[in-house]
Amino acid sequence: MEPNRTYFRSLGSGILLLLFAGCATAEIEEISFPSRGKLVFTSAKSKEGSRFLEEVRRIEDKGTSYSGEFEIRIQNFVPKKDVFSLNGKIYYDKPTGKMQIELTDRLFGISVSKVYTDGEQIRIKTAAQEKIHEQPMDDILLSDPNGGKRTIVPFPVIYYLLSSQNARLFQPNSTLVQPKEGIILVRKAGEEWTYYVTERGVATVEWNSSRKNVKAVTSVQGEVEFPPKVTLTRIVSREDSSDQNRIEIKMKKTNRIESISPSVFGF
């Protein structure tokens, strides 16, 4: 069985190409896109909207720093259906918002790449390349190295869920809310983000980008907690809703602590 490998290729400012190759595992569960129906939303600037967002911030503020180990599985659908997986370690420091992810070969336990972000910038270092790639917090392109199919992955969604800092994105001028249904709608140029919130925090995030011609949904599986034990992401085409990729991140263990040593971050 051939070991998993991860490769990164720069595509210019704001986007990085991430390629996976490795051995196949079981298919990833399909999750559905939520339906908002014909709900009426109110401005985040309103008294009701402001109060609702403040409650969401209060819930997210309960999160702590943590370290942990996880497994990430990625399923490609084009040009052929394949599932690949890697093990990883994650470090998140709540006071600074810094997060570092280390991906390792499942068979040999060798580090193949490190991803660092402070919530604004992303830095990536792979074992195969000495040069460190830097880009603003933005999407990552996922590619099948065999067929070359590329699909955008909403990396910011994953970061904000794993750091419980979604509320940073709820700017009053671009945010609408539906407090009774626990829904937050954020609109930007060419993009729309919909957050579905429970009394324990954000459970599902939907991303719809006309600029990039993709839709994606990320959903916490089981009880909403921090950090989430299992998250599933599904990326589809806006044209025909055909599946492009699915991603599963499953936490194996976590250690909640007050802060992470600064020496942990960096390459």
Side-chain angles (χ1 to χ4, degrees):
M1 182 179 295
E2 184 180 350
N4 298 310
R5 294 186 177 88
T6 307
Y7 308 89
F8 294 94
R9 183 183 305 161
S10 175
L11 292 182
S13 177
I15 291 181
L16 186 75
L17 182 61
L18 173 62
L19 301 95
F20 278 81
C23 53
T25 62
E27 289 192 15
I28 296 174
E29 177 186 349
E30 177 181 321
I31 56 175
S32 301
F33 283 79
S35 175
R36 295 201 307 258
K38 297 182 179 180
L39 295 173
V40 177
F41 286 79
T42 186
S43 170
K45 297 180 180 179
S46 68
K47 185 176 181 180
E48 182 183 21
S50 178
R51 185 167 55 246
F52 174 58
L53 290 184
E54 185 58 36
E55 177 62 18
V56 174
R57 293 188 182 95
R58 186 189 65 79
I59 294 172
E60 293 203 326
D61 282 344
K62 293 180 180 179
T64 64
S65 302
Y66 68 91
S67 61
E69 298 179 6
F70 66 92
E71 178 188 25
I72 181 170
R73 298 196 302 135
I74 297 177
Q75 181 170 358
N76 300 320
F77 285 82
V78 181
K80 61 180 180 179
K81 187 182 293 186
D82 287 315
V83 185
F84 308 103
S85 63
L86 288 167
N87 287 332
K89 295 181 179 180
I90 183 170
Y91 304 90
Y92 170 64
D93 184 58
K94 180 177 175 60
T96 63
K98 294 179 180 179
M99 179 181 290
Q100 184 154 299
I101 297 172
E102 300 178 8
L103 298 177
T104 59
D105 186 290
R106 291 189 65 189
L107 292 182
F108 302 107
I110 300 172
S111 176
V112 294
S113 63
K114 292 183 179 181
V115 181
Y116 162 82
T117 181
D118 59 2
E120 301 293 336
Q121 296 288 320
I122 301 173
R123 303 180 72 210
I124 299 175
K125 177 71 172 67
T126 69
Q129 297 180 354
E130 292 187 7
K131 185 177 180 180
I132 296 174
H133 173 83
E134 297 188 23
Q135 69 170 68
M137 173 63 78
D138 205 334
D139 310 317
I140 290 175
L141 282 178
L142 184 66
S143 177
D144 177 351
N146 297 315
K149 175 65 179 180
R150 300 177 180 181
T151 302
I152 294 174
V153 175
F155 182 76
V157 172
I158 296 174
Y159 166 76
Y160 289 117
L161 271 179
L162 295 181
S163 66
S164 193
Q165 294 201 48
N166 296 281
R168 289 177 53 182
L169 305 176
F170 304 154
Q171 301 302 315
N173 290 334
S174 58
T175 303
L176 299 173
V177 299
Q178 222 302 335
K180 291 184 179 180
E181 299 296 329
I183 302 176
I184 301 170
L185 181 62
V186 179
R187 287 174 172 162
K188 300 180 180 180
E191 295 186 346
E192 185 174 276
W193 303 72
T194 309
Y195 298 80
Y196 297 84
V197 185
T198 73
E199 66 277 2
R200 298 177 64 91
V202 175
T204 298
V205 182
E206 182 180 352
W207 174 59
N208 192 332
S209 176
S210 59
R211 290 191 303 116
K212 298 168 183 175
N213 199 34
V214 294
K215 295 193 304 181
V217 59
T218 296
S219 183
V220 176
Q221 301 300 289
E223 187 176 90
V224 176
E225 58 182 302
F226 180 76
K229 288 184 177 179
V230 180
T231 58
L232 295 180
T233 297
R234 181 185 179 194
I235 304 105
V236 304
S237 167
R238 292 183 80 247
E239 295 178 352
D240 57 9
S241 296
S242 60
D243 277 277
Q244 304 294 300
N245 292 90
R246 296 176 191 169
I247 303 170
E248 177 190 73
I249 299 176
K250 182 179 295 185
M251 300 296 293
K252 295 180 177 179
K253 64 179 181 180
T254 56
N255 178 32
R256 296 175 179 81
I257 50 181
E258 186 173 334
S259 63
I260 301 289
S261 171
S263 63
V264 170
F265 301 103
F267 309 128

